[in-house]
Amino acid sequence: MKKLQGAHQRKPITPDLLMTPSDQGDVDLDMDFAADRGNWTGKLDFLLSCIGYCVGLGNVWRFPYRAYTNGGGAFLVPYFLMLAICGIPLFFLELSLGQFSSLGPLAVWKISPLFKGAGAAMLLIVGLVAIYYNMIIAYVLFYLFASLTSNLPWEHCGNWWNTDLCLEHRGSKGGNGALPLNLTSTVSPSEEYWSRYVLHIQGSQGIGSPGEIRWNLCLCLLLAWVIVFLCILKGVKSSGKVVYFTATFPYLILLMLLVRGVTLPGAWKGIQFYLTPQFHHLLSSKVWIEAALQIFYSLGVGFGGLLTFASYNTFHQNIYRDTFIVTLGNAITSILAGFAIFSVLGYMSQELGVPVDQVAKAGPGLAFVVYPQAMTMLPLSPFWSFLFFFMLLTLGLDSQFAFLETIVTAVTDEFPYYLRPKKAVFSGLICVAMYLMGLVLTTDGGMYWLVLLDDYSASFGLMVVVITTCLAVTRVYGIQRFCRDIHMMLGFKPGLYFRACWLFLSPATLLALLVYSIVKYQPSEYGSYRFPAWAELLGILMGLLSCLMIPAGMLVAVLREEGSLWERLQQASRPAMDWGPSLEENRTGMYVATLAGSQSPKPLMVHMRKYGGITSFENTAIEVDREIAEEEESMM
């Protein structure tokens, strides 16, 4: 008994009021919410993941085409203006939500449960996009393997898949004396290789009769999903390391393609065509809409990927700095990709003796028809073709990692005790399910389904989700409260620029985009094929389904409350009791003692006991507490 008493006297007792879960032994440490959830192993993991997520296939095959069709160099004026009005503020808003709460797209709506349907809509959109996006990666893998040969298979006519219209659009190697070609009445071997061999689209009668499964594409799609699964197997701890390669290596290849492109004869002709300013285009509303759309989709706002990545940050990660690095880096990458693409197209134009606009295309046509054809005109063409498709592969995988991590994180955050210990198994099941749903894209008519998904899965529905998120955070939760949360997290409040964009400029611009997309609606088409009415209706319903998730979520949230309808709305709009930073030592002011199991009246005491003093962030906590107290006094 004396020994026990002596041991008791030697060990100081911490009063219960000052104890936190971190003080209660190893057992409670294992149950720590944030530690169990996981974090990035380094700050660079997060930054590279965001860069890889934003810098994708659209930077290569969409931005250069949109630039030259909308005024060339003049397009950069609305592009950077829309980046400032929409891109940067919405990017920062989504990162702030994720980092402050350490929650995924569903659970983050503890901020205002009434709008949880917006999180469900995000998941539906990102799920549909992930299905067809991995099919594009499968096409890239197909071409990557086809480049491992001494002669590219799309270099010549005379193969079983070629028709009588096939003509080798090659011109003269030196670019001297090349006779102008009439490209309208002939088909290049690269185009027939893409449509008749890779897609085998002649085996389909349309979207209603897709035909047989192409087993080579089926295996490429399987490989794509296996790669994605292996990279996200351990969550951000594995994908955060993979991006060190996949987010940086494309820049090396892009630099190689750029150097090779600008040294080709006729390269300046393509670059001049790409960047020559045509300022009269700025008078057209279409140019401004195109710029806003390019910013909106290239940064990946609204898909939940940014929110998911930020949720694995430490509480005081400087996402303000990271926002500018990623958004401006994405814009510069798009411009550089345009130089690399159009320098080669200029060379191709000179070789064929035709204007640049006759060889320039956007979308998959650029990646799988025009650029591969240009590669056949270069010495060591298989080498340059392999580099180009390897670049596309690494660009695509980064975005796909984000899509899958968003889905897995969102669901596991909703059911942490059941799914988080089995996250790897759950990730595997998600990949298998999406692979099976994507098999229709590997059929002869799979391209028709891919176009339908691309046109409608993330169109007006995504804009509605982002507008809803912006209004819910700034109007319902409150711009002052949101800025105070950021102050607690970063040590400063967002300035007038961010507040003005969040409150007015960004939602107004997105609303204009939404109205424009509805007014200028055009039915989907692929080449000369026009989609039937039932397919158009299916696409519209696909977009509407994500929008309907929002009122459905509101209905569920209201039904869970008690009282009159107005009282239910008010209660469902308020933040949940456990809303706030995930770790107790990061909680201050209104967030004190709202965590389950919390016993500490002031997280500041936890900091002082742990670190032996007050840091700059503890000073911030004191300031926030003082502001809240002053607000409460003024209200009384």
Side-chain angles (χ1 to χ4, degrees), residues 378-394:
L378 297 175
L380 301 174
S381 54
F383 170 73
W384 294 108
S385 177
F386 180 86
L387 281 185
F388 176 71
F389 286 108
F390 193 76
M391 178 184 72
L392 292 186
L393 175 65
T394 51

Side-chain angles (χ1 to χ4, degrees), residues 377-513:
M377 301 179 180
L378 297 175
L380 301 174
S381 54
F383 170 73
W384 294 108
S385 177
F386 180 86
L387 281 185
F388 176 71
F389 286 108
F390 193 76
M391 178 184 72
L392 292 186
L393 175 65
T394 51
L395 287 175
L397 283 176
D398 288 330
S399 299
Q400 190 69 3
F401 295 159
F403 296 150
L404 265 293
E405 192 60 53
T406 297
I407 297 170
V408 172
T409 296
V411 180
T412 52
D413 280 350
E414 279 294 291
F415 309 99
Y417 298 106
Y418 301 103
L419 294 179
R420 201 165 284 163
K422 303 176 182 177
K423 191 173 181 179
V425 176
F426 181 63
S427 300
L429 292 175
I430 292 290
C431 290
V432 170
M434 288 195 165
Y435 170 68
L436 294 176
M437 287 188 282
L439 284 178
V440 68
L441 304 177
T442 66
T443 60
D444 295 334
M447 179 52 69
Y448 300 131
W449 285 97
L450 191 146
V451 170
L452 192 72
L453 283 168
D454 186 37
D455 284 351
Y456 292 101
S457 61
S459 55
F460 56 89
L462 184 64
M463 294 183 199
V464 171
V465 169
V466 177
I467 292 171
T468 302
T469 301
C470 200
L471 294 179
V473 171
T474 58
R475 303 287 183 174
V476 179
Y477 182 66
I479 187 69
Q480 294 299 333
R481 188 185 296 180
F482 184 58
C483 289
R484 192 167 58 207
D485 291 346
I486 295 175
H487 185 196
M488 183 191 307
M489 183 169 60
L490 301 182
F492 61 88
K493 284 187 177 181
L496 179 61
Y497 158 65
F498 280 102
R499 294 200 300 272
C501 287
W502 289 336
L503 282 170
F504 306 108
L505 297 178
S506 296
T509 303
L510 291 176
L511 188 61
L513 282 179

Side-chain angles (χ1 to χ4, degrees), residues 1 47 68 121 141 340 367 460 509 532 604 614 625 628:
M1 179 67 69
L47 185 60
Y68 102 82
L141 284 170
F460 56 89
T509 303
L604 182 56
I614 298 180
D625 284 341
I628 295 172

Side-chain angles (χ1 to χ4, degrees), residues 33-63:
F33 184 81
D36 185 41
R37 189 175 185 272
N39 289 99
W40 299 107
T41 55
K43 293 182 179 180
L44 200 57
D45 297 17
F46 165 72
L47 185 60
L48 290 177
S49 294
C50 286
I51 291 173
Y53 169 61
C54 296
V55 178
L57 299 174
N59 297 74
V60 175
W61 71 33
R62 187 172 288 122
F63 175 84

Side-chain angles (χ1 to χ4, degrees), residues 307-599:
L307 194 153
T308 301
F309 283 162
S311 71
Y312 291 104
N313 279 340
T314 56
F315 188 69
H316 298 302
Q317 167 83 5
N318 190 352
I319 50 173
Y320 182 78
R321 174 201 60 203
D322 294 342
T323 294
F324 287 95
I325 291 175
V326 176
T327 54
L328 295 177
N330 177 70
I332 294 170
T333 303
S334 298
I335 296 170
L336 287 178
F339 280 103
I341 296 297
F342 271 87
S343 60
V344 175
L345 295 184
Y347 163 72
M348 188 177 176
S349 168
Q350 179 165 308
E351 287 287 288
L352 298 177
V354 298
V356 178
D357 59 355
Q358 287 193 29
V359 294
K361 292 182 179 179
L366 173 66
F368 299 117
V369 177
V370 178
Y371 214 80
Q373 181 186 348
M375 294 297 100
T376 63
M377 301 179 180
L378 297 175
L380 301 174
S381 54
F383 170 73
W384 294 108
S385 177
F386 180 86
L387 281 185
F388 176 71
F389 286 108
F390 193 76
M391 178 184 72
L392 292 186
L393 175 65
T394 51
L395 287 175
L397 283 176
D398 288 330
S399 299
Q400 190 69 3
F401 295 159
F403 296 150
L404 265 293
E405 192 60 53
T406 297
I407 297 170
V408 172
T409 296
V411 180
T412 52
D413 280 350
E414 279 294 291
F415 309 99
Y417 298 106
Y418 301 103
L419 294 179
R420 201 165 284 163
K422 303 176 182 177
K423 191 173 181 179
V425 176
F426 181 63
S427 300
L429 292 175
I430 292 290
C431 290
V432 170
M434 288 195 165
Y435 170 68
L436 294 176
M437 287 188 282
L439 284 178
V440 68
L441 304 177
T442 66
T443 60
D444 295 334
M447 179 52 69
Y448 300 131
W449 285 97
L450 191 146
V451 170
L452 192 72
L453 283 168
D454 186 37
D455 284 351
Y456 292 101
S457 61
S459 55
F460 56 89
L462 184 64
M463 294 183 199
V464 171
V465 169
V466 177
I467 292 171
T468 302
T469 301
C470 200
L471 294 179
V473 171
T474 58
R475 303 287 183 174
V476 179
Y477 182 66
I479 187 69
Q480 294 299 333
R481 188 185 296 180
F482 184 58
C483 289
R484 192 167 58 207
D485 291 346
I486 295 175
H487 185 196
M488 183 191 307
M489 183 169 60
L490 301 182
F492 61 88
K493 284 187 177 181
L496 179 61
Y497 158 65
F498 280 102
R499 294 200 300 272
C501 287
W502 289 336
L503 282 170
F504 306 108
L505 297 178
S506 296
T509 303
L510 291 176
L511 188 61
L513 282 179
L514 179 61
V515 173
Y516 179 85
S517 63
I518 295 173
V519 172
K520 296 292 184 178
Y521 167 77
Q522 291 182 343
S524 296
E525 57 185 41
Y526 180 72
S528 59
Y529 178 77
R530 300 295 182 271
F531 284 70
W534 67 265
E536 287 296 319
L537 180 61
L538 180 63
I540 294 172
L541 290 176
M542 193 189 307
L544 284 176
L545 184 58
S546 57
C547 298
L548 292 174
M549 290 283 189
I550 299 172
M554 289 180 173
L555 181 61
V556 171
V558 167
L559 290 176
R560 286 180 174 175
E561 303 296 340
E562 296 179 353
S564 65
L565 179 60
W566 177 244
E567 289 172 342
R568 290 174 181 233
L569 283 171
Q570 285 183 314
Q571 291 164 8
S573 300
R574 296 191 187 104
M577 285 297 295
D578 57 345
W579 163 252
S582 63
L583 292 178
E584 187 179 359
E585 56 260 34
N586 294 324
R587 290 182 168 244
T588 186
M590 70 180 72
Y591 300 111
V592 171
T594 55
L595 260 181
S598 174
Q599 298 180 9

Side-chain angles (χ1 to χ4, degrees), residues 215-229:
W215 290 107
N216 44 11
L217 287 180
C218 184
L219 292 175
C220 285
L221 182 61
L222 177 62
L223 177 59
W225 278 111
V226 169
I227 293 173
V228 171
F229 170 69

